[in-house]
Amino acid sequence: ETGVTQSPTHLIKTRGQQVTLRCSSQSGHNTVSWYQQALGQGPQFIFQYYREEENGRGNFPPRFSGLQFPNYSSELNVNALELDDSALYLCASSLAGRETEAFFGQGTRLTVV
Amino acid sequence: AQRVTQPEKLLSVFKGAPVELKCNYSYSGSPELFWYVQYSRQRLQLLLRHISRESIKGFTADLNKGETSFHLKKPFAQEEDSAMYYCALRVSGGYQKVTFGTGTKLQVIP
């Protein structure tokens, strides 16, 4: 079992609201990547954090933002929620340069109504 | 921009039959290709990578640059192989972005 934990596991929000998702990294990992996985799709890269700085971003609008803390845990914030934001959000932690060996969390299922 | 295509959403095979999960990619540079697997009620995990030319759980995958493919193969399917399989591509430089395909569900029929 990996050490990457995400919270909450499920939540329901109303369109227009804001949400914060949390991720606790595998011990020793300094890089965190966030992915959005819509139903029937593969994970889509949102952004990556390394040593508390965003160092890469996918094709997502600025209302998707994040933070990484000194202990390498991370948050994903989404403002002005839209119905299409409903998805499984995955966090993956790794060592820098070894993102394909990342450990994934179990995900947070976000439903926007 | 890079893209990964997995043409089959579902692949059903009988136990003992050969398996081939298809993956094609588009990228102008030299990519690194990977296969990830997600078993029922488990997390996504790395299965194998082209660069190490390894065989994991009997699965192999060969990168064919001419056909821009990275198909996953296994000569004899087992029931425990039933899972979602995602092909992924990594682009180097700056940060390491991983692009996933849409996934293929492999169903091994006993």
Side-chain angles (χ1 to χ4, degrees), chain B residues 89-101:
Chain B
L89 177 156
R90 183 172 79 172
V91 174
S92 298
Y95 65 97
Q96 310 279 332
K97 177 181 174 180
V98 179
T99 299
F100 286 86

Side-chain angles (χ1 to χ4, degrees), chain B residues 13-82:
Chain B
V13 301
F14 285 101
K15 178 182 171 181
V19 174
E20 183 178 49
L21 299 171
K22 290 183 166 42
C23 172
N24 288 89
Y25 67 91
S26 63
Y27 177 58
S28 55
S30 193
E32 291 183 68
L33 275 297
F34 306 84
W35 278 96
Y36 285 80
V37 62
Q38 187 168 27
Y39 300 102
S40 179
R41 285 185 286 277
Q42 293 189 29
R43 301 163 191 225
L44 194 62
Q45 58 187 288
L46 178 66
L47 178 62
L48 56 77
R49 67 201 85 182
H50 91 269
I51 204 166
S52 55
R53 296 181 166 273
E54 56 203 342
S55 172
I56 303 292
K57 299 184 179 182
F59 284 98
T60 59
D62 290 319
L63 178 60
N64 185 323
K65 291 186 178 180
E67 295 182 0
T68 60
S69 68
F70 187 57
H71 303 326
L72 183 68
K73 299 178 184 179
K74 184 170 182 176
F76 308 104
Q78 298 173 315
E79 287 180 67
E80 54 265 33
D81 296 329
S82 295

Side-chain angles (χ1 to χ4, degrees), chain A residues 23-56:
Chain A
C23 172
S24 172
S25 304
Q26 174 83 4
S27 177
H29 284 181
N30 55 15
T31 301
V32 174
S33 302
W34 284 91
Y35 293 84
Q36 180 195 67
Q37 187 173 18
L39 202 60
Q41 301 296 317
Q44 274 199 290
F45 177 77
I46 303 175
F47 44 54
Q48 181 180 97
Y49 277 80
Y50 171 64
R51 291 188 175 181
E52 303 176 56
E53 296 284 333
E54 183 185 296
N55 74 336

